[in-house]
Amino acid sequence: MSFETSIVIPTLDDAATLEATVERLNRVVASTNAAAEVIVVDAGSRDGTLIKAAELADRYPLLHMRVLVRDQARSGFGSLVRLGVAYAQGRFCVLVMPDARDPLELIPTMISHLRSGAHLVLCSRYQVGAATLHLPRRFVGYQRIYRRAIKLLLGVDIPDSTYGFRAFNRTFVQALGITGRRMSVCSEITFKVLLAGGKVDHLPGGPTGPMLQQQSKFRLGNELAGYALTLARARLHGFGLPWF
């Protein structure tokens, strides 16, 4: 069976929220009447995430779910994304977080933009009308600084280059190459598509609820270096040092 869209969900100990995420995805996919697959890429969960994923695969056959497992010691967020994209069969790929907070109702609109020629559709938590209520204040502050740095170094204003929830033309992005192992893989995809002359569309939208403490895997101190290096690499590409 051929799929137009592959939905990739990276997981690590997400048994508490994965069911709600997949239930919402099932409603969204059913409303589109288009063939889609869901790929759960797990980093060695120990809380029953894999058992839950298997149950959900049986419960929602419309989603054509597959589960991939990677060794936890080698499974940063970016590594999971790369594996999921490599195994995806769809023309388009949607990256979805497992915490049941992404505005999944935007997926049909994202796919429509891709069908119309966009190579990447970003969901922005900072555009007018976007829901920023559920974002920590320090998180919003660092994003504001990063946005200014991007505008200064690359000459483009990107409202939200790092939000994981996004959709892209899979073959276009794969041709550019994805190398990041951590969460900076999201900004890597953003910058490479822009540098390659791809069309990037933006949609306002944000988390639909507060982040559960046990689901928070983002550690700003651990990720800052990766984001800075990714931006620096994009700048060097502009100076003639090829990144891809």
Side-chain angles (χ1 to χ4, degrees):
M1 182 175 183
S2 60
F3 302 104
E4 180 185 39
T5 304
S6 298
I7 300 169
V8 177
I9 309 177
T11 59
L12 174 61
D13 296 331
D14 290 295
T17 55
L18 183 61
E19 182 172 357
T21 300
V22 173
E23 285 177 348
R24 290 177 60 207
L25 276 175
N26 187 66
R27 291 196 296 270
V28 169
V29 170
S31 70
T32 64
N33 199 29
E37 64 172 347
V38 171
I39 304 175
V40 174
V41 192
D42 190 75
S45 295
R46 297 171 181 168
D47 70 338
T49 297
L50 292 175
I51 295 174
K52 177 61 68 176
E55 293 175 354
L56 294 170
D58 291 336
R59 191 186 311 171
Y60 300 109
L62 175 69
L63 298 179
H64 303 97
M65 286 181 63
R66 288 184 286 157
V67 182
L68 307 176
V69 182
R70 208 178 157 90
D71 188 312
Q72 190 173 31
R74 299 166 42 198
S75 295
F77 179 83
S79 300
L80 299 182
V81 170
R82 294 198 331 258
L83 183 61
V85 172
Y87 274 84
Q89 300 177 37
R91 175 186 175 194
F92 306 132
C93 194
V94 180
L95 184 58
V96 170
M97 302 302 102
D99 60 6
R101 299 169 65 243
D102 290 335
L104 302 181
E105 67 279 358
L106 292 178
I107 289 179
T109 304
M110 289 175 154
I111 300 303
S112 177
H113 279 251
L114 293 173
R115 288 172 181 159
S116 298
H119 297 93
L120 172 65
V121 183
L122 298 176
C123 182
S124 174
R125 298 160 288 185
Y126 310 105
Q127 283 183 263
V128 175
T132 58
L133 178 64
H134 301 297
L135 297 174
R137 188 172 300 176
R138 63 183 180 84
F139 190 84
V140 175
Y142 112 77
Q143 284 284 353
R144 186 177 296 116
I145 294 171
Y146 197 55
R147 179 178 179 178
R148 289 175 179 172
I150 293 170
K151 189 172 183 178
L152 175 65
L153 295 179
L154 302 185
V156 292
D157 187 14
I158 309 174
D160 195 349
S161 65
T162 65
Y163 191 14
F165 179 55
R166 58 185 53 212
F168 50 87
N169 183 305
R170 181 179 61 83
T171 54
F172 186 87
V173 169
Q174 278 189 306
L176 299 176
I178 311 174
T179 60
R181 295 188 65 252
R182 306 188 76 164
M183 290 187 174
S184 59
V185 70
C186 295
S187 55
E188 177 189 350
I189 292 172
T190 304
F191 298 153
K192 283 184 174 179
V193 170
L194 282 168
L195 292 169
K199 184 175 185 292
V200 180
D201 289 349
H202 304 269
L203 296 175
T208 58
M211 182 180 292
L212 298 178
Q213 187 62 36
Q214 63 268 33
Q215 298 301 120
S216 178
K217 305 179 185 70
F218 181 84
R219 298 290 182 271
L220 182 58
N222 296 337
E223 302 293 341
L224 277 177
Y227 286 128
L229 181 61
T230 303
L231 179 54
R233 197 66 193 83
R235 179 59 172 153
L236 290 173
H237 183 89
F239 278 134
L241 188 61
W243 193 12
F244 54 85

